[in-house]
């Protein structure tokens, strides 16, 4: 017996040039903000971009982008609506504002379902906002998406770095490409994390200072694109498209 | 799951098996479909007939429906899915993403959303028949 859904995933992503999973070892490091801003920045550079929120238990990119009252279209599958130039897909279309209490097998099933029904079409970049850690969603993406690359977000916290170290080690062992690491919410000039990241043999992409204005920009794309975070993410985007 | 997307996935999976088994023609595709998928079988059959490649031109699609049953992980209660107890938007959400069951259905005894789907979720390609 075969689950037929997994046979179509490759085909659904055939015309997507690069698939970037924005990931972290821990939650609360600003991964969804970096993923949303990166997707917007790449779209502003003229690329065809999709944003896929895979954080099923705590989706937040729809709040960051201020998306409300939108539903995907059905056309021999699901067509993600285009919002702020992004083809946007999230579990919130189906879960609304309710809590989504999913165990591991449910997470895998939901992920396979969305990967097999969503018709992204031709994209230069698909940015995926991952749940934190190396749980089911991360393992499933590695299993189903052969061309996946990881962009990792950490904070200056040693605790966050320790989980990043484990994530990097797993990805390297599995020979999965790592674009680099972003150090977010930086509050001083310490270069400890930068050095540690370099010692892992991974590119240190950028430091993003802690910016209290980011909170005010939640739900307002124009404000978001004018934050220091967006300027720094623009540097990351420039490195990615090189 | 969306009927057209499913038909496409079934053909992709069956084609792969036919290739591996050296079948030059596929005559039957047997599916087991969980009740939670809330599929319109007529639409699935229509999509299958429209999408099937030449190798499948005489292929019949046989679908067996499986009733959905749940077991609460907290109090152990077992119960069957009753679609008519759901409003249309919850039913639609479950159709597209059956895992949202855990949002819209609760254990009838203790109210927990932490239950196991014993049967009736997903789609399985059970077998294919054909000519070598």
């Amino acid at each position: 017996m075969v689950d037929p859904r997994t046979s179509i995933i490759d085909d659904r992503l055939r015309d997507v040039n690069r698939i970037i999973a924005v990931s972290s070892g821990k939650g609360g490091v600003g991964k969804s903000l970096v993923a949303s801003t990166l997707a917007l920045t790449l779209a502003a550079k003229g690329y065809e971009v999709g944003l896929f929120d895979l954080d099923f238990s705590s989706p937040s990119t729809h709040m960051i982008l201020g998306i409300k009252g939108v539903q995907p279209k059905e056309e021999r599958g699901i067509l993600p609506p285009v919002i702020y130039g992004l083809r946007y897909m999230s579990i919130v279309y189906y879960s609304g504002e309710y809590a989504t209490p999913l165990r591991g097998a449910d997470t895998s099933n939901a992920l396979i379902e969305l990967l097999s029904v969503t018709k992204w079409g031709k994209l230069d970049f698909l940015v995926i906002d991952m749940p934190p850690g190396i749980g089911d969603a991360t393992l499933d993406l590695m299993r189903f998406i052969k061309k996946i690359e990881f962009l990792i977000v950490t904070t200056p916290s040693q605790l966050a770095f320790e989980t990043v170290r484990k994530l990097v080690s797993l990805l390297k062992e599995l020979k999965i490409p790592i674009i680099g690491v972003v150090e977010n919410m930086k509050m001083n000039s310490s270069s400890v994390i930068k050095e540690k990241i370099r010692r892992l043999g991974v590119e240190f992409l950028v430091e993003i200072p802690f910016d209290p204005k980011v909170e005010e920009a939640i739900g307002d794309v124009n404000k978001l694109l004018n934050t220091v975070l967006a300027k720094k993410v623009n540097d990351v985007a420039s490195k990615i498209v090189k | 799951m969306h009927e057209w997307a499913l038909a496409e996935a079934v053909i992709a999976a069956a084609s792969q098996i036919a290739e591996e088994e050296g079948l030059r023609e596929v005559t039957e595709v047997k599916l087991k479909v969980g009740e939670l998928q809330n599929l319109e079988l007529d639409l699935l059959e229509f999509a299958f007939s429209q999408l099937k490649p030449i190798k499948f031109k005489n292929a019949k699609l046989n679908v067996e429906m499986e009733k959905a049953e749940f077991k609460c992980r907290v109090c152990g209660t077992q119960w069957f899915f009753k679609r008519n107890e759901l409003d249309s938007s919850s039913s639609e959400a479950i159709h597209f993403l059956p895992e949202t069951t855990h949002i819209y259905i609760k254990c009838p005894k203790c109210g927990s959303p932490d239950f196991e789907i014993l049967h009736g979720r997903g789609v399985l390609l059970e077998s294919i028949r054909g000519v070598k």
Side-chain angles (χ1 to χ4, degrees):
Chain A
M1 289 208 279
V2 175
D3 182 344
R5 297 173 302 169
T6 56
S7 304
I8 200 78
I9 293 176
D10 266 354
D11 196 57
R12 296 279 183 250
L13 298 169
R14 192 185 47 215
D15 296 327
V16 179
N17 189 30
R18 290 180 68 185
I19 302 177
I20 300 171
V22 180
S23 188
S24 69
K26 270 194 174 296
V29 299
K31 180 174 42 59
S32 301
L33 270 163
V34 170
S36 306
T37 312
L38 176 65
L40 288 168
T41 306
L42 289 167
K45 287 179 185 291
Y47 294 98
E48 290 289 335
V49 183
L51 177 62
F52 190 5
D53 193 330
L54 269 191
D55 195 348
F56 292 155
S57 358
S58 319
S60 57
T61 53
H62 63 293
M63 285 184 68
I64 293 168
L65 299 174
I67 296 171
K68 273 184 196 159
V70 192
Q71 284 294 316
K73 260 185 26 189
E74 288 177 56
E75 203 177 295
R76 297 190 172 195
I78 300 294
L79 297 183
V82 179
I83 305 164
Y84 304 117
L86 307 175
R87 275 171 246 177
Y88 180 74
M89 191 67 188
S90 167
I91 194 171
V92 294
Y93 294 137
Y94 308 109
S95 62
E97 298 303 312
Y98 300 107
T100 320
L102 300 182
R103 283 179 179 262
D106 301 320
T107 304
S108 283
N109 256 322
L111 176 83
I112 294 169
E113 194 84 26
L114 289 181
L115 283 174
S116 58
V117 298
T118 308
K119 300 183 103 170
W120 293 101
K122 197 168 161 36
L123 288 180
D124 298 302
F125 296 98
L126 175 59
V127 178
I128 303 180
D129 182 26
M130 298 292 294
I134 39 185
D136 294 85
T138 306
L139 295 172
D140 280 329
L141 274 199
M142 292 174 187
R143 180 158 67 117
F144 292 118
I145 305 182
K146 289 168 194 80
K147 53 188 167 187
I148 192 100
E149 316 167 54
F150 278 74
L151 175 72
I152 301 171
V153 182
T154 186
T155 66
S157 160
Q158 289 183 56
L159 304 178
F161 172 77
E162 179 55 17
T163 58
V164 162
R165 187 189 62 73
K166 288 176 179 161
L167 175 61
V168 166
S169 143
L170 177 72
L171 294 172
K172 285 188 129 188
E173 202 174 310
L174 297 170
K175 298 188 171 42
I176 294 170
I178 302 170
I179 295 168
V181 178
V182 169
E183 186 183 4
N184 191 23
M185 300 190 220
K186 205 159 162 55
M187 295 175 85
N188 59 34
S189 58
S190 161
S191 58
V192 171
I193 297 293
K194 187 192 279 189
E195 282 157 19
K196 283 185 172 178
I197 296 294
R198 285 182 176 153
R199 255 181 265 142
L200 292 176
V202 176
E203 184 172 357
F204 182 86
L205 292 166
V206 78
E207 292 172 350
I208 304 176
F210 178 77
D211 179 0
K213 285 192 181 150
V214 167
E215 192 59 32
E216 293 165 24
I218 302 266
D220 185 330
V221 163
N222 290 325
K223 273 191 187 170
L224 181 64
L225 288 175
N226 279 307
T227 57
V228 177
L229 176 133
K231 288 183 182 68
K232 296 290 182 179
V233 169
N234 186 55
D235 295 345
V236 175
S238 301
K239 287 183 181 178
I240 288 173
V241 302
K242 242 186 210 168
Chain B
M1 190 180 187
H2 194 275
E3 287 83 355
W4 280 89
L6 175 61
E8 224 178 322
V10 167
I11 289 168
S15 300
Q16 213 172 314
I17 297 169
E19 188 74 32
E20 285 162 13
E21 295 186 359
L23 301 179
R24 61 185 163 82
E25 195 190 339
V26 175
T27 53
E28 186 192 35
V29 175
K30 212 170 161 189
L31 278 187
K32 188 191 262 185
V33 174
E35 188 187 8
L36 280 184
Q37 303 297 128
N38 191 19
L39 288 179
E40 282 186 39
L41 290 184
D42 291 350
L43 185 52
L44 176 65
E45 278 165 19
F46 176 70
F48 182 79
S49 70
Q50 295 294 300
L51 294 171
K52 63 187 184 184
I54 290 183
K55 199 184 248 189
F56 286 68
K57 67 178 189 296
N58 297 315
K60 196 170 174 330
L61 182 67
N62 278 330
V63 182
E64 181 198 337
M65 292 298 288
E66 186 183 45
K67 272 196 83 60
E69 187 179 13
F70 311 120
K71 183 177 181 183
C72 179
R73 286 192 172 98
V74 178
C75 71
T77 298
Q78 279 186 227
W79 76 100
F80 286 100
F81 175 56
K82 288 181 190 129
R83 179 163 313 283
N84 55 11
E85 289 177 2
L86 290 172
D87 61 45
S88 62
S89 63
S90 310
S91 184
E92 181 84 347
I94 292 173
H95 165 59
F96 283 113
L97 198 55
E99 281 59 48
T100 54
T101 305
H102 294 280
I103 299 171
Y104 302 111
I105 293 176
K106 308 275 185 267
C107 169
K109 191 170 172 202
C110 73
S112 172
D114 187 11
F115 54 82
E116 197 181 339
I117 303 171
L118 295 175
H119 319 280
R121 192 264 175 265
V123 180
L124 283 175
L125 176 56
E126 286 216 303
S127 62
I128 68 168
R129 279 189 186 170
V131 184
K132 284 201 177 180

